[in-house]
Amino acid sequence: MKNISEFIKLDPWQEEVLNCKSKKIAIRAGRQSGKSTIVSLKVAIYALKNPKKNILVIASVDRQAQLLFEKI
């Protein structure tokens, strides 16, 4: 598999999140900084590597969950 940085330009903190092996990640960042993008990318990669797993997308508002699901 090619390195994701060949396809998309990530900020250093996004690369850190993408490469993080922890099961729990907290992201503190401002609006429009790319939080949803990096989380959806991380989930999509996980889904491709684990085809028999179920993935649940949860958000405080249904619309947020729908938008994140669309990005994934």
Side-chain angles (χ1 to χ4, degrees):
M1 185 170 153
K2 292 187 177 185
N3 191 344
I4 197 67
S5 61
E6 294 180 34
F7 302 103
I8 185 171
K9 173 72 172 110
L10 299 175
D11 290 337
W13 72 268
Q14 289 174 313
E15 289 182 18
E16 186 177 345
V17 170
L18 190 61
N19 296 325
C20 182
K21 301 297 181 204
S22 176
K23 291 184 178 184
K24 296 180 181 180
I25 300 172
I27 301 172
R28 182 179 175 205
R31 290 176 39 88
Q32 303 292 316
S33 60
K35 297 180 296 292
S36 295
T37 300
I38 198 60
V39 169
S40 62
L41 182 59
K42 190 167 182 75
V43 171
I45 291 170
Y46 180 84
L48 290 171
K49 289 182 178 180
N50 300 280
K52 303 225 181 224
K53 297 271 185 171
N54 291 324
I55 298 170
L56 184 62
V57 178
I58 300 174
S60 59
V61 180
D62 187 44
R63 180 78 177 135
Q64 289 176 336
Q66 289 174 350
L67 291 172
L68 189 58
F69 185 77
E70 289 173 10
K71 281 188 177 193
I72 295 167

